[in-house]
Amino acid sequence: MTGPHRPTRQRVVLAERRGARMVRTRVEVAEQTEIGAAMIDGLIRAQFGLAVRIGLIVVAVLGALPVLFALGAPGSVVVLGIRLPWLLLGVLSTPLLYGAGRLYLRLADRNDQDFTDLAED
């Protein structure tokens, strides 16, 4: 009498192997296929949206100053011999613009890095 007969094992595959079909996104971007063009369009849209959002914030902050001055109260205040509206517009607006530029560069670099990571996938 021989031992119990074991059934032969079968390999069950539930999903395709990862990397079985390489998506060549870097080539598609370089050759500007439909997928590559869509990826570049997405990057351009993201950068444009970022620029518009930061630009609107700067316009809102600097645009609110004339409204504040029209109310009359801060327009007559003198600081260091300079009227407050000129001080705010001439001196304090520079750090605002510099900060907005730095913020834009940091976020635009993040968008570029995300795009590069996606293209190298």
Side-chain angles (χ1 to χ4, degrees):
M1 182 166 183
T2 61
H5 177 45
R6 289 186 176 180
T8 58
R9 295 183 70 174
Q10 292 183 1
R11 183 175 180 176
V12 177
V13 178
L14 299 177
E16 289 296 320
R17 221 173 26 150
R18 188 165 193 210
R21 180 182 166 265
M22 295 282 293
V23 178
R24 301 178 320 162
T25 53
R26 180 179 272 181
V27 173
E28 293 190 21
V29 170
E31 293 178 359
Q32 291 193 0
T33 62
E34 287 183 35
I35 294 172
M39 290 174 63
I40 291 172
D41 287 345
L43 175 64
I44 291 171
R45 252 184 268 116
Q47 299 290 46
F48 180 71
L50 176 63
V52 167
R53 286 191 303 272
I54 291 181
L56 286 175
I57 291 170
V58 169
V59 166
V61 170
L62 292 180
L65 291 177
V67 173
L68 182 67
F69 301 149
L71 296 176
S76 60
V77 176
V78 176
V79 177
L80 300 172
I82 303 171
R83 290 183 48 201
L84 185 61
W86 287 108
L87 186 66
L88 289 175
L89 288 174
V91 177
L92 297 180
S93 64
T94 304
L96 171 72
L97 294 173
Y98 179 77
R102 290 287 303 227
L103 178 65
Y104 174 78
L105 285 176
R106 187 169 55 110
L107 294 175
D109 283 344
R110 184 181 301 163
N111 285 344
D112 286 341
Q113 187 61 45
D114 291 344
F115 177 78
T116 303
D117 291 344
L118 181 65
E120 290 179 352
D121 241 353

